[in-house]
Short mmCIF file of all heavy atoms in Angstrom, two decimals:
data_model
loop_
_atom_site.label_atom_id
_atom_site.label_comp_id
_atom_site.label_asym_id
_atom_site.label_seq_id
_atom_site.Cartn_x
_atom_site.Cartn_y
_atom_site.Cartn_z
N TYR A 298 -10.47 -42.60 -58.94
CA TYR A 298 -10.14 -43.04 -57.53
C TYR A 298 -8.93 -43.89 -57.45
O TYR A 298 -8.16 -43.86 -56.54
CB TYR A 298 -11.32 -43.80 -56.98
CG TYR A 298 -12.41 -42.89 -56.66
CD1 TYR A 298 -13.81 -43.42 -56.77
CD2 TYR A 298 -12.28 -41.64 -56.16
CE1 TYR A 298 -14.88 -42.62 -56.57
CE2 TYR A 298 -13.42 -40.85 -55.80
CZ TYR A 298 -14.63 -41.25 -56.08
OH TYR A 298 -15.71 -40.37 -55.82
N ILE A 446 7.08 -17.07 -10.71
CA ILE A 446 7.50 -17.24 -9.38
C ILE A 446 7.41 -15.92 -8.56
O ILE A 446 7.13 -15.95 -7.41
CB ILE A 446 9.03 -17.75 -9.40
CG1 ILE A 446 9.02 -19.13 -10.05
CG2 ILE A 446 9.59 -17.84 -8.01
CD1 ILE A 446 10.41 -19.68 -10.28
N LYS A 462 -7.74 -19.12 -7.94
CA LYS A 462 -8.39 -17.87 -7.57
C LYS A 462 -8.82 -17.04 -8.84
O LYS A 462 -8.29 -17.35 -9.89
CB LYS A 462 -7.31 -17.00 -6.76
CG LYS A 462 -7.08 -17.48 -5.31
CD LYS A 462 -6.18 -16.72 -4.59
CE LYS A 462 -6.80 -15.40 -4.18
NZ LYS A 462 -7.74 -15.55 -3.08
#
Side-chain angles (χ1 to χ4, degrees):
Y298 288 143
I446 296 173
K462 291 178 73 69

